[in-house]
Amino acid sequence: MRYAETGYNLEIDLTRGNIERVETDPKLAELHLGGLATTAKILWDRVPPETEPFSPNNPLIFSTGLLCGTPATGANRTIVATVSPQTLLMGYSMMGGFFAPELKYAGYDKIIFRGKSPDLVYIYISNDKVEIRDASHLKGKGAVETVDIIQQELNDPKVQVAAIGLAGENRVYMASIEHGRSSASRLGIGAVMGDKGIKAVAVRGTKDINVARPAEFYKLCNDVLKYIQFRDDHPVPGVMPILQGLGSPQEMKHVDEAWHTQNFMWGNSRVRKRDYWTPEVEEKWRGTQESVRKRLISCYNCPMKCGAVISVPGLSTYMMKCFSKLTYTMAAFADLDFGFRIAQRATEYGVDGFSTPQVMAFAVELYENGILTDADLEGCPADNEGRFYWLLDRIVRREGIGDVLANGTYWAAQHIGKGAEEFAHNNIKKHEQLPLKLGMLNPVYYLMYCTGEKANITQIEGQFPQSPFPTMAEREEFVKDWIQVPDEKFKQYLLGWELRGERSNPYYPTIDMSVDIVDWQEKMHYIDDAVGMCAGLSSFPLKPPYHIHNYPAIISAATGLEMNEDKLTEIYNRNRNLIRAFNVRRGLRRADEKPPEDHWKNRFPELEEKLLDAYYKFKGWDNDGIPTKETLQRLDLGYVAEDLEQRGIIK
Amino acid sequence: MSMVVNKKLKKRIRIDVDKCNGCRACEMICSAFHATPKYSSNNPERSRIRVMFEPLRNIYVPVYAGEYTASECMGKNEYVIDGKKYDDCGFCRAACPSRTLFHEPDSGLPLKCDMCEDNPPDEEPLCVQWCITDALVYEEYEGEETEEDVKIADVDISMEEMVAKYGLQKVLETVARMAQKG
């Protein structure tokens, strides 16, 4: 019997209409755990570097994590991976909700799509019954609407659906895959789904997921739940409200947006409004939020309420989580009411709430600077809010200028020319970043921004505070019950970190400390992504319930694998290097590992080079960010080394 | 027939639908607790509590499996609460033949909430323990339980009617057969 995992993948060839249930190698869980890591293994094995994102040979993989479907609180993430049309590297995005557990209960760890369907289809999986169904009646339907229609036509409200909207159908590079209160939004994976002709995947499962050592596993899960309750009762003092608790930043719960509205940038990541948050604004926003928010909601088997049912009068109901509440508002210099309204349309279209508002703000800037002309924006309203709706409609339909903008700011700027490149100023690896511009370089964040394989800071940052506590008393208080640190030295790093003076950014944390801290943050994310754990209960917030000290026992009791901290660290390194190798094989090099030039006002080129040198060295990579042969061999990735050697990438 | 009223300590789970966040931890832990060996497997379809939810209509209703019923209802009701329509099957606790809800997925046998009674005493049912948003709250209360006080005279009347209808021999044979089956 296989524990925690089902031991089967579903392989669907859309070109031929072939469906197979394929047993997986149990050894893979030992080497990689599962989730993102075993997905990366499939991509490495099957996708040579010349494969284009919209090639039938580019697979699209929906993966559960190793612990999804077990009683481990928060293990509900679905990892969707493919080659990204935007970065041309591995594109992976993760969503919460209910899809992954349901897929496990249906008896599968992954669905691997290849080929392309000539007509729009949806996939219906009900345990052993798998069908490719006609979806011509769903063409052009909203992503939220589609879920409703499918549940009704299958006459089963318990069926879990992941769907694309118009943006995915039209291969918009910011297209998301929507699934109720969750979405896999980043890096254009919805575009690949649309390219394959898949409108939706609907899953229903009624089978068991087994665990190896039930009593022990249950106790560990119960301890996690108790710690969540403890943390609910003990918010971290001295940090802003959204960082005090667990879960994703509690944007749906909190109305107080002083921090985001005054520290994040408005427009095309340009303008900081330091005095924006007044009592009048707060009162107005509170009214807006409380009137449209019908309920705070969760993902499968998780008590955190990071999402909400949103019902704006006159518009159909949708669900929202986290920061998309503000991205449209701030990009359009509008207010919260606008944000909730346009997000409804954007969710039905199925677009990424990070990139899309920036693309639209970028277009507005280009117009204001004479790079885009009246001819490009013919018919566009003159007011800013009107412009955003107009641009959104053009982008998802790829009409006129929308066809250019639909490829994201990097590619659009290349296409438009005339200096448009200067305005695509907030990208890493061709991908739009958080609208954040800061003063002093933070060495830890510098490394995370540069080297994150997902090109998204929230998927690498984590539980080491973002800035020092002003007083020693606060620091001592913070480290007192900081059980999550992998090593006591991290407490010393934090205790020594000052706001000003010698031991402050950018030279403190020192280069070595910075590398250590980044390695810890990354490690937790990579473990989460392999087991399907939500970062909101593990790698992302301060003092989370899952950490390097309890993970080995949890994974071991669930799977029966022997596990300890060293072993888990080795698996993390193996997985980290495998994904890096995939991207290196596609051309990723040191030259690509750059944060946006204006991310910090105060830059330190010499220090930055040293940071990157030290990080690469620590990872066992050469000076160009390529894993060395020795590193790969040490991690049982000899076959990867051999391939890179044959291609002349490893010399 | 007269009724006897007894005082008895009763258990119930109070459901506050306004607090339900739709996470289905209750379903998950119920199915794990009732697995053999305990916690060895997990499958919400085996759970004795299910959350009926339709997020877009803001419907979140945890429902416990109640008694098995051999036939489906003749008439169905529709409830309108706060302007929204609800089919009464949505609230129904019965394991009934007209729907798959509250049946073991393999055998089709009906499921019923047992308040986790083989858990150590004084413990709350597992679904309540795992619902840390407090949508489910365990309560013990002194309830009234009515018991039929069966009088022999009433039995006599019933039997006389049966004999009149089927004949004494047939009734005797039936009683004998039932007695054999235990």
Side-chain angles (χ1 to χ4, degrees), chain A residues 80 87 99 129 133 173 193-194 217 263 275 328 345 369 396 415 489 497 525 549 553 575 624:
Chain A
V80 193
T87 64
F99 191 91
K129 186 177 81 179
R133 293 185 153 214
Y173 287 10
M193 183 156 158
F217 184 62
N263 288 288
D275 306 314
Y328 293 96
R345 194 181 293 188
N369 286 275
V396 300
H415 184 274
K489 68 184 175 190
W497 195 14
H525 275 284
H549 308 304
N575 296 344
D624 215 7

Side-chain angles (χ1 to χ4, degrees), chain A residues 12-16 54-60 112-118 192-193 195-198:
Chain A
I12 300 181
D13 184 331
L14 294 152
T15 308
R16 294 188 298 142
F54 295 136
S55 154
N57 296 325
N58 180 23
L60 176 71
I112 304 161
F113 291 106
R114 62 178 185 279
K116 280 188 199 197
S117 167
V192 175
M193 183 156 158
D195 181 62
K196 299 212 168 301
I198 310 167

Side-chain angles (χ1 to χ4, degrees), chain A residues 462-476:
Chain A
Q463 47 201 301
F464 196 86
Q466 298 185 9
S467 51
F469 292 99
T471 66
M472 185 53 89
E474 282 173 284
R475 287 171 222 159
E476 279 169 352

Side-chain angles (χ1 to χ4, degrees), chain A residues 66 124 160 296 327 361 364 386 424 542 565 586 595:
Chain A
L66 186 61
Y124 176 42
Q160 297 298 337
L296 292 171
T327 50
V364 169
L542 300 169
E565 290 179 27
R586 292 191 72 90

Side-chain angles (χ1 to χ4, degrees), chain A residues 304-318:
Chain A
M304 305 315 300
K305 291 175 272 195
C306 309
V309 177
I310 303 291
S311 208
V312 182
L315 302 176
S316 62
T317 303
Y318 69 107

